[in-house]
Amino acid sequence: MKRKKRKNSIKLSKKKHLCSVMNDTKWRQLKEAVLTTLPFVPPLQIKTVLEDTPNPQNFDNDHDVYGSGDWMDGVPRLLIEWIRVRPRRIESNGLIIPPKVIDISNEFLEILHKYKIPYKIENNTIYIFGYIRDTSSLTLGNSNEKYK
């Protein structure tokens, strides 16, 4: 079964003119580090090579940082076109006090740097690509860039 999924992902990536920038080992290292080293699991959005729309579809406002993602559970890593991570969480303090934002962006980037995972920061989110057309926009996860 895994061989068939791999064949399909290769076929689809070629059809879409995408090149692979991650492998199963790097996805596994990323997931394990996120689940074991961060104070909370940040929310994420996943786009597979099989789908036209990412899941969840809405990930563009601060209301989306209340929850946490399932971190690729149930999604074969070799089908992931990209994930979009917002490494912060908003905690409610009641109705009168403004919510508190807990930002672990730099800790998340440290994971990317440790495992040399290429990424792109755009609109306060971090994109990690499994497949991409043009790699020139990616930062290799061993730079000293800090999250902005």
Side-chain angles (χ1 to χ4, degrees), residues 29-40 104 107-108 110-111 114-115:
Q29 289 171 329
L30 174 62
K31 180 178 179 176
E32 184 177 317
V34 164
L35 295 177
T36 61
T37 63
L38 296 177
F40 59 87
I104 58 167
E107 293 90 336
F108 189 84
E110 286 175 16
I111 292 171
K114 179 179 180 179
Y115 295 106

Side-chain angles (χ1 to χ4, degrees), residues 22 27 30-31 34-35 38 40-47 54-56 59-61 64-65 67-72 80 82-89 103-109 111-112 117-129 147-148:
M22 286 283 278
W27 283 122
L30 174 62
K31 180 178 179 176
V34 164
L35 295 177
L38 296 177
F40 59 87
V41 179
L44 82 156
Q45 182 182 47
I46 297 178
K47 165 80 174 64
N55 186 23
F59 197 72
D60 291 325
N61 58 48
D64 298 320
V65 296
S68 64
D70 62 8
W71 272 88
M72 301 176 278
I80 298 172
W82 52 260
I83 63 171
R84 184 178 173 198
V85 182
R86 195 172 276 134
R88 61 182 194 270
R89 179 170 70 187
D103 192 329
I104 58 167
S105 301
N106 289 328
E107 293 90 336
F108 189 84
L109 285 176
I111 292 171
L112 300 181
I117 295 172
Y119 64 93
K120 178 170 104 174
I121 298 174
E122 187 176 288
N123 297 326
N124 294 321
T125 59
I126 300 171
Y127 285 85
I128 301 167
F129 293 87
Y147 187 76
K148 297 167 183 115

